[in-house]
């Protein structure tokens, strides 16, 4: 694999824009990042030392991050915590699986991560091309989940409205956000580069990068839970299957189950985001309630153009 050479240029030398929600963005190696994440991303690139037992969960925001965190934590730790004593009952998935750029390297450039028990599970919204070199060069595994861009856009906008970022939830605000989305100018955009980066990495090395789709998990969670376990080298034994462990994990991590836990109904994450806002509807196709036919057509055309020849298809 060939990767761009990382530079440690200062943010002020790079192209900058204001995001629709008012946050300043910087374009780094073709990826739009919130300016406040530039330093943590560089710190992670410089200092993160991956171990071969590490698991990295990677996503565009609003593509199924919370769900994937709950599932992977449960699958990887199933011999440590019985389902009825899982930390997921009292901690949010985001507390159990920290983001590299938003948690781990947020306050410190070089935190000590050595004593975290294996497997260490981290998450990121970074593009594949921005990942710390050690992640790409060791045997650690990456699980990527993506979601059809129509639902992902709507979910993101509704999340910002719910947390009262940027503009009020009026149609003009939606139009402005939509325009920037189609230009790829928003935090961790453009979606096509984000998705294609991991898709190509998966095609090149499927044993290292597992590529999942939110819609497939909604359609058949059992097969996807098995797939994750097998990818991690932790397949379910026949005895576990007969005991119904896959159903128990799927049930625990389902939208209804997580949403109804007290820990996910109250409190905040990252200082400002309501925990409840991570559980809105959890459906495929909710975009139809928000996007006009013309808007939907524009995103579909973008998908056709950008994903042409990649073999990537989305259920919308
Ligand atoms: P993040 O990237 O900011 O962490 P993320 O968890 O990817 O957010 O996105 C939240 C979306 O996943 C919400 O979608 P919606 O706005 O269309 O409703 C949320 O409802 C959905 N979600 C959260 N947990 C689950 C789950 N257990 N099953 C299915 N969908 C879920």
């Amino acid at each position: 694999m060939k990767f761009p050479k990382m530079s440690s240029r200062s943010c002020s030398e790079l192209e900058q824009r204001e995001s629709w929600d008012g946050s300043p963005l910087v374009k780094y190696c073709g990826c739009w990042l919130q300016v406040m994440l530039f330093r943590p991303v560089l710190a992670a690139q410089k200092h993160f030392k991956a171990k071969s037992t590490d698991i990295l969960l990677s996503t565009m925001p609003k593509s199924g991050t919370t769900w994937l965190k709950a599932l992977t934590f449960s699958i990887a730790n199933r011999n440590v915590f019985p389902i009825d004593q899982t930390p997921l009952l009292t901690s949010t998935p985001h507390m159990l699986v920290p983001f590299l750029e938003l948690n781990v390297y947020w306050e410190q450039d070089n935190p000590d991560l050595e004593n975290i028990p294996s497997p260490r599970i981290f998450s990121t919204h970074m593009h594949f091309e921005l990942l710390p070199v050690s992640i790409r060069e060791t045997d650690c595994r990456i699980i990527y989940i993506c979601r059809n861009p129509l639902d992902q856009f709507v979910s993101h906008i509704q999340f910002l409205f719910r947390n009262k970022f940027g503009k009020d939830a009026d149609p003009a605000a939606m139009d402005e956000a939509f325009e920037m989305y189609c230009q790829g100018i928003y935090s961790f955009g453009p979606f096509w580069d984000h998705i294609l980066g991991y898709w190509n990495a998966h095609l090149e090395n499927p044993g290292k990068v597992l590529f999942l789709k939110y819609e497939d998990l909604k359609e058949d969670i059992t097969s996807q839970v098995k797939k994750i376990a097998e990818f991690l080298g932790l397949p379910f034994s026949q005895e576990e299957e007969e005991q119904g462990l896959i159903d128990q994990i799927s049930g625990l991590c389902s939208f209804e189950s997580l949403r109804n836990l007290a820990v996910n109904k109250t409190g905040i994450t990252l200082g400002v985001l309501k925990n409840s806002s991570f559980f809105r509807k959890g459906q495929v196709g909710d975009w139809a309630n928000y996007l006009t036919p013309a808007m939907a057509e524009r995103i579909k055309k973008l998908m056709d153009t950008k994903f042409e020849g990649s073999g990537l298809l989305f259920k919308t």
Side-chain angles (χ1 to χ4, degrees):
M1 284 186 219
K2 289 224 169 64
F3 301 105
K5 220 169 159 36
M6 296 301 167
S7 84
S8 55
R9 290 158 67 184
S10 92
C11 182
S12 59
E13 294 169 31
L14 302 171
E15 185 182 348
Q16 298 204 20
R17 288 286 294 266
E18 185 173 299
S19 162
W20 160 85
D21 65 10
S23 59
L25 297 173
V26 58
K27 195 175 191 184
Y28 179 53
C29 297
C31 321
W32 286 100
L33 294 173
Q34 281 175 293
V35 166
M36 64 181 177
L37 294 178
F38 186 66
R39 189 207 51 77
V41 164
L42 291 187
Q45 287 176 344
K46 185 165 176 195
H47 296 290
F48 185 72
K49 301 267 177 300
K51 298 183 181 182
S52 58
T53 48
D54 286 345
I55 303 167
L56 182 73
L57 309 181
S58 198
T59 58
M60 282 279 291
K62 309 302 150 204
S63 298
T65 319
T66 313
W67 196 5
L68 183 63
K69 285 185 180 190
L71 287 167
T72 306
F73 180 88
S74 303
I75 292 166
N77 288 296
R78 65 187 191 268
N79 292 326
V80 183
F81 307 110
I83 291 283
D84 58 355
Q85 289 167 34
T86 171
L88 275 168
L89 298 174
T90 47
S91 303
T92 71
H94 290 288
M95 288 159 80
L96 297 173
V97 180
F99 285 104
L100 290 178
E101 64 278 14
L102 289 158
N103 304 110
V104 179
Y105 290 93
W106 179 253
E107 284 186 353
Q108 285 184 58
D109 267 6
N110 194 8
D112 183 3
L113 309 174
E114 279 307 303
N115 296 326
I116 300 175
S118 292
R120 303 185 303 181
I121 313 177
F122 299 106
S123 66
T124 186
H125 286 321
M126 280 185 242
H127 286 225
F128 182 76
E129 291 75 11
L130 291 189
L131 293 181
V133 174
S134 70
I135 291 180
R136 303 190 242 120
E137 290 186 346
T138 52
D139 287 340
C140 79
R141 291 178 171 90
I142 300 173
I143 307 180
Y144 184 71
I145 187 166
C146 63
R147 188 177 190 185
N148 81 71
L150 298 130
D151 279 328
Q152 188 255 333
F153 167 71
V154 166
S155 178
H156 202 163
I157 287 298
Q158 292 301 316
F159 180 79
L160 295 175
F161 288 155
R162 268 155 210 253
N163 284 296
K164 304 213 179 325
F165 282 105
K167 324 282 163 63
D168 289 334
D170 65 42
M174 183 89 164
D175 285 351
E176 196 184 334
F178 179 78
E179 188 54 44
M180 292 195 82
Y181 186 76
C182 290
Q183 292 177 30
I185 307 171
Y186 51 93
S187 190
F188 300 106
F191 70 78
W192 49 89
D193 285 342
H194 202 289
I195 294 172
L196 282 173
Y198 286 94
W199 176 244
N200 291 330
H202 158 75
L203 294 179
E204 205 165 307
N205 193 351
K208 174 152 186 88
V209 183
L210 178 66
F211 192 94
L212 302 173
K213 293 181 188 152
Y214 182 94
E215 295 75 22
D216 292 344
L217 267 68
K218 289 294 288 185
E219 200 170 281
D220 181 1
I221 187 67
T222 304
S223 73
Q224 301 294 308
V225 167
K226 280 190 190 178
K227 199 190 232 187
I228 295 171
E230 279 159 21
F231 173 75
L232 294 176
L234 304 166
F236 288 94
S237 65
Q238 195 174 343
E239 197 186 345
E240 285 179 318
E241 290 208 26
E242 282 165 11
Q243 284 167 355
L245 198 53
I246 299 175
D247 287 347
Q248 287 170 31
I249 289 175
S250 311
L252 168 76
C253 300
S254 70
F255 177 80
E256 285 304 330
S257 153
L258 290 182
R259 185 172 74 143
N260 286 318
L261 291 172
V263 66
N264 294 322
K265 280 182 169 175
T266 54
I268 52 171
T269 288
L270 299 173
V272 282
L273 306 171
K274 291 179 203 152
N275 288 337
S276 61
S277 67
F278 289 89
F279 304 91
R280 191 181 62 97
K281 289 191 186 171
Q283 293 169 2
V284 178
D286 185 46
W287 59 267
N289 296 313
Y290 296 89
L291 302 182
T292 64
M295 286 168 134
E297 199 44 40
R298 185 157 166 209
I299 296 192
K300 284 181 183 168
K301 280 213 173 100
L302 255 178
M303 289 161 62
D304 288 347
T305 315
K306 301 291 183 184
F307 297 140
E308 190 184 1
S310 69
L312 255 179
L313 291 173
F314 287 92
K315 292 175 191 143
T316 54

